[in-house]
Amino acid sequence: MRRDAKVADGKPLTRLPVYSVMRLFAFLLASCAVLAGQSSSDWVVEVRHRGELMFVNRSVVTVDGGTVSGTSGPGKLRGTLNGDEMQVEWVMGDRVEGTMRGSLKAGRLTGSGKTSDGLVYDWLAYRVPPQGTAPRTHEFTPENFERYFSAATPAVLRIAPGDTVRTWSVDAGGVDAKGTRRSRGGNPLTGPFYVEGALPGDTLAVKLNKVRINRDWAESGNGLMSNAISPDYNANLKRAKDLGGRWKLDAQSGMAALDKPSEALKNFRVPIEPMLGCVSVAPRGQEVVATRDSGYFGGNMDYNRIREGTTVYLTVNQPGGLLMVGDGHAAQGDGELTGDALETSMDIEFTVELIRGKGRGLPWAEDKDWLMMIGIAGSLDEALRRATTGLARYLEGEHGLNSTEAALVLGFAVKYDIADLVGTQVSIVARLPKTVIAQLPPRKAE
């Protein structure tokens, strides 16, 4: 029997001297497919060295009877398939640059490989559930809540692209809708959710269908962030006595008021506009980041336009993405100026789509009116540069503008928001009205 399939290459997570040899592993997917009787394009291979993910790819090769063959970069692939056992060599000229062995167990192909210089790798190949099946809706009740972004955190649920999840989150202090403490504080999140077929370099599109408060109170900070005020003002604060940050939430009127206001603030009200402070995928490699913080992976972005009806786009860094959500705010001004906004628990519904490739390296979002690039960095000036650059590259890459044309559009239409002043990273959002984007050449076909 002869089976051929198309190639869809991924990208290495790190640059290694043995990169070309490591590409050998990606070509084992066809062998998996032959053994399992499935299309080879539906398989993914992961390569790990001492437990660390070094390489992940979508790719295929040709298997003819018991013979495995193909090409990998400048080299060739040759080997044998005998029942469930496989042996393959990667050859450059007359030199064998790498060898590997593997076997099929429980629908997965696993084994080890060794490069010509003696480095040993473990590998795993598995079939991704086929797309095109009817989307499912998952009702997920969280039991544990995560306080770190990390690829080491086990997924709580595996979902397919197109699926919807209905769930809820505790507040930033770990308290649920009934007032029960379920976790330590520090933005404990719901998840992570593993999205089948998502690989590094892909993009998750997370549409927030529902973001709603589920209790009648919230807690906020009651002092300004020191990085937003001058040192002399900070040194001479006139603090009120017995004025805390407890708020009453009135869902019927859609307004929030201080629970025990001072005389001056007895008539002060703010509109309830629920949002999520945190939407994130796992960071690269073995990075571990506290959920109080943010970065290229999303995280605690605290942008008040990440709310019901918004779609958040995140570049995948780990297989499955490992999506987490939470840190609900009943309301928040720009920057989360008091350190804690109206922190509360939240009912959440989201739908996830997978876009192969198209990773931008920074989070971005859109709603019915705006396209938004979220620049995150250690300073506001660098965050501004990242947001503006991201928006300019979007106009060039998606709408075919050159840099001069992009400058003219941005120079007269861009709006900036200071999204977040909390944590080691701060963020600025550059956004364009969709009425402006509608005047540009149509987006390029995928």
Side-chain angles (χ1 to χ4, degrees):
M1 61 182 175
R2 186 174 185 85
R3 306 190 183 195
D4 297 287
K6 298 178 181 178
V7 174
D9 285 329
K11 296 180 179 180
L13 299 183
T14 56
R15 292 184 179 272
L16 299 177
V18 293
Y19 166 69
S20 294
V21 176
M22 292 177 69
R23 287 183 60 88
L24 151 69
F25 296 94
F27 285 91
L28 300 171
L29 299 174
S31 300
C32 307
V34 171
L35 293 173
Q38 300 289 350
S39 167
S40 55
S41 61
D42 291 334
W43 288 75
V44 169
V45 68
E46 297 179 10
V47 176
R48 296 178 185 271
H49 178 59
R50 295 183 177 178
E52 181 180 359
L53 180 68
M54 305 301 291
F55 184 80
V56 61
N57 206 330
R58 300 181 186 100
S59 190
V60 294
V61 74
T62 299
V63 177
D64 188 359
T67 301
V68 179
S69 62
T71 59
S72 176
K76 294 183 178 181
L77 187 67
R78 68 189 185 193
T80 60
L81 178 66
N82 183 12
D84 290 351
E85 302 295 323
M86 179 183 56
Q87 299 185 49
V88 179
E89 296 177 334
W90 187 79
V91 182
M92 282 279 291
D94 296 325
R95 177 182 171 85
V96 176
E97 295 288 352
T99 60
M100 71 162 301
R101 306 168 69 93
S103 60
L104 181 70
K105 294 180 181 179
R108 291 190 166 200
L109 196 63
T110 60
S112 61
K114 184 164 65 173
T115 66
S116 59
D117 56 0
L119 292 177
V120 177
Y121 295 89
D122 297 319
W123 59 270
L124 163 69
Y126 52 89
R127 183 173 183 269
V128 177
Q131 296 189 31
T133 57
R136 299 175 58 196
T137 297
H138 306 267
E139 303 283 349
F140 178 73
T141 300
E143 297 292 336
N144 300 299
F145 302 88
E146 299 301 329
R147 299 173 60 251
Y148 295 92
F149 303 117
S150 169
T153 305
V156 297
L157 181 68
R158 297 175 81 101
I159 62 176
D163 282 1
T164 295
V165 177
R166 293 174 181 161
T167 188
W168 52 268
S169 66
V170 294
D171 67 17
V175 179
D176 67 13
K178 297 180 180 179
T180 302
R181 181 171 295 281
R182 303 290 297 274
S183 169
R184 293 173 58 195
N187 287 355
L189 303 180
T190 300
F193 300 96
Y194 187 106
V195 182
E196 302 285 6
L199 297 183
D202 292 342
T203 298
L204 291 188
V206 185
K207 183 177 181 181
L208 301 176
N209 306 319
K210 180 180 179 181
V211 180
R212 308 275 177 89
I213 60 172
N214 57 18
R215 71 186 194 203
D216 62 1
W217 60 277
E219 294 276 358
S220 79
N222 58 5
L224 297 175
M225 292 293 297
S226 60
N227 58 349
I229 55 178
S230 64
D232 63 315
Y233 182 84
N234 193 41
N236 296 282
L237 297 175
K238 300 177 181 179
R239 297 189 182 276
K241 294 182 180 180
D242 303 321
L243 181 58
R246 178 93 170 193
W247 295 72
K248 295 182 292 186
L249 306 178
D250 186 343
Q252 185 172 359
S253 68
M255 302 299 288
L258 285 163
D259 187 39
K260 295 180 180 180
S262 64
E263 180 65 22
L265 298 181
K266 65 182 180 181
N267 296 320
F268 180 57
R269 304 286 187 274
V270 296
I272 295 173
E273 296 180 332
M275 54 161 284
L276 292 183
C278 285
V279 182
S280 177
V281 291
R284 304 181 190 111
Q286 295 180 307
E287 286 185 68
V288 178
V289 181
T291 52
R292 292 178 180 272
D293 234 324
S294 58
Y296 60 89
F297 50 85
N300 189 30
M301 297 179 286
D302 286 323
Y303 182 38
N304 53 24
R305 289 181 178 270
I306 297 180
R307 57 195 181 196
E308 190 168 306
T310 297
T311 299
V312 180
Y313 296 87
L314 300 168
T315 301
V316 175
N317 305 294
Q318 302 285 348
L322 302 177
L323 173 68
M324 295 202 289
V325 296
D327 185 28
H329 300 172
Q332 179 200 296
D334 286 356
E336 198 176 19
L337 201 55
T338 54
D340 291 302
L342 267 63
E343 309 286 346
T344 191
S345 56
M346 203 73 70
D347 288 334
I348 304 166
E349 178 185 300
F350 61 85
T351 300
V352 177
E353 299 290 351
L354 176 63
I355 305 170
R356 289 194 174 185
K358 309 292 282 188
R360 298 189 178 278
L362 81 168
W364 60 289
E366 65 177 331
D367 59 21
K368 63 183 181 64
D369 298 317
W370 297 91
L371 178 78
M372 300 162 269
M373 290 288 166
I374 306 171
I376 301 173
S379 64
L380 286 174
D381 56 346
E382 180 59 26
L384 175 71
R385 284 191 284 269
R386 294 184 183 183
T388 307
T389 300
L391 202 48
R393 285 177 173 162
Y394 178 90
L395 294 177
E396 294 177 18
E398 298 295 326
H399 295 277
L401 304 191
N402 58 43
S403 58
T404 303
E405 292 165 335
L408 291 171
V409 172
L410 294 178
F412 296 96
V414 72
K415 302 293 183 184
Y416 288 104
D417 297 324
I418 298 176
D420 177 36
L421 294 170
V422 183
T424 67
Q425 305 294 294
V426 294
S427 54
I428 286 182
V429 177
R431 55 188 171 99
L432 273 181
K434 287 192 170 178
T435 52
V436 170
I437 295 174
Q439 301 173 47
L440 305 178
R443 290 185 63 180
K444 296 179 180 180
E446 298 290 344

